[in-house]
Amino acid sequence: MMTVIQIGDAAMSHTYDPRRTAVLLVDPYNDFLSEGGKIWPRLEQMAQEVGLLEHLHSVVTSAREAGVRVVFVPHRRWEPGDYETWNHPNPTQLSIMERHSFARGTWGGEFHPDFQPQPGDVVVREHWAQSGFANTDLDFQLKQHGITHVVAVGLLANTCIESTGRFAMELGYHVTLVRDATAAFLPEMMHAAHDLNGPTYAHAIITTDELTAAFKGGRA
């Protein structure tokens, strides 16, 4: 029997059919999420303030229990020579070239141990910049699985999450952002992601508790 999960009041409700909904787990690498990761020191304060790891775990666990598909959306794992001959590498790519973030074959370039692909999950091709859709098979995979609604979680709130969410909207998907299942380097970046920019493209901006209650069949 199909269950439709709903968030919001009658005037602003958002329904989530588990067969049509996917959680996009963006860049769950050790370099971002683990003690000792190259980028963790810059994220640690905000991640702890929002309870990032706990909330990501809650979103992924509740999604799987509800039959919502989990889609891993990974950034390009750095390899020697990446970006060096490009005409227009962006500032983030230049930083990756310098610090070798998410280097292929290293611990930092592995998914955090709490976020490993399980049977039924999808792992899409790696994105080179900030959008999980650009130059990857993400749109193709979502369409092949009949997905119409996406929930974007992971990192970073104001870069890859925003770019992926905005691109999803442009492609016609219903987009949900989860305030406390993402993080950024500064509070101002989180504010921009959820209070300034998010409302221009996202259909719902909610909390982990609201989302997981919906995934369990409740109503926030």
Side-chain angles (χ1 to χ4, degrees):
M1 179 178 177
M2 185 271 287
T3 300
V4 175
I5 46 187
Q6 181 168 307
I7 294 175
D9 58 27
M12 293 293 293
S13 64
H14 301 278
T15 58
Y16 297 81
D17 178 349
R19 299 174 304 177
R20 304 290 187 186
T21 303
V23 167
L24 306 184
L25 180 57
V26 181
D27 299 348
Y29 288 124
N30 281 322
D31 269 345
F32 262 146
L33 294 173
S34 296
E35 188 76 31
K38 288 186 175 73
I39 310 173
W40 174 249
R42 298 186 66 191
L43 275 172
E44 184 175 7
Q45 182 174 348
M46 286 304 308
Q48 291 180 346
E49 284 185 16
V50 301
L52 175 63
L53 287 169
E54 176 187 351
H55 290 143
L56 284 176
H57 187 270
S58 294
V59 170
V60 171
T61 299
S62 63
R64 288 178 175 145
E65 290 174 349
V68 171
R69 194 171 297 277
V70 175
V71 179
F72 285 70
V73 183
H75 197 282
R76 165 75 177 183
R77 299 171 207 239
W78 178 85
E79 295 182 13
D82 280 358
Y83 313 114
E84 290 179 3
T85 60
W86 285 27
N87 286 330
H88 308 291
N90 67 38
T92 298
Q93 290 163 340
L94 292 174
S95 295
I96 291 173
M97 188 168 59
E98 179 181 348
R99 66 175 177 252
H100 304 167
S101 307
F102 326 126
R104 194 176 304 279
T106 70
W107 171 83
E110 296 174 358
F111 293 144
H112 186 282
D114 289 350
F115 307 110
Q116 296 292 315
Q118 301 297 319
D121 295 349
V122 174
V123 181
V124 302
R125 293 174 185 164
E126 298 172 359
H127 52 274
W128 283 87
Q130 295 175 348
S131 171
F133 286 94
N135 305 304
T136 76
D137 60 336
L138 177 54
D139 183 49
F140 178 81
Q141 289 278 8
L142 294 176
K143 285 183 167 60
Q144 288 298 315
H145 289 93
I147 301 301
T148 59
H149 288 53
V150 296
V151 179
V153 299
L155 299 157
L156 294 165
N158 61 312
T159 57
C160 290
I161 296 297
E162 179 170 334
S163 294
T164 300
R166 190 180 295 276
F167 207 135
M169 176 275 294
E170 297 283 0
L171 291 171
Y173 294 97
H174 180 285
V175 177
T176 296
L177 303 179
V178 186
R179 290 178 177 273
D180 52 4
T182 185
F185 298 146
L186 297 169
E188 294 85 353
M189 294 175 177
M190 293 286 277
H191 174 70
H194 300 131
D195 298 313
L196 301 180
N197 298 339
T200 69
Y201 68 87
H203 302 88
I205 304 175
I206 60 176
T207 66
T208 295
D209 286 347
E210 290 171 325
L211 183 68
T212 57
F215 282 176
K216 292 174 183 176
R219 185 169 179 169

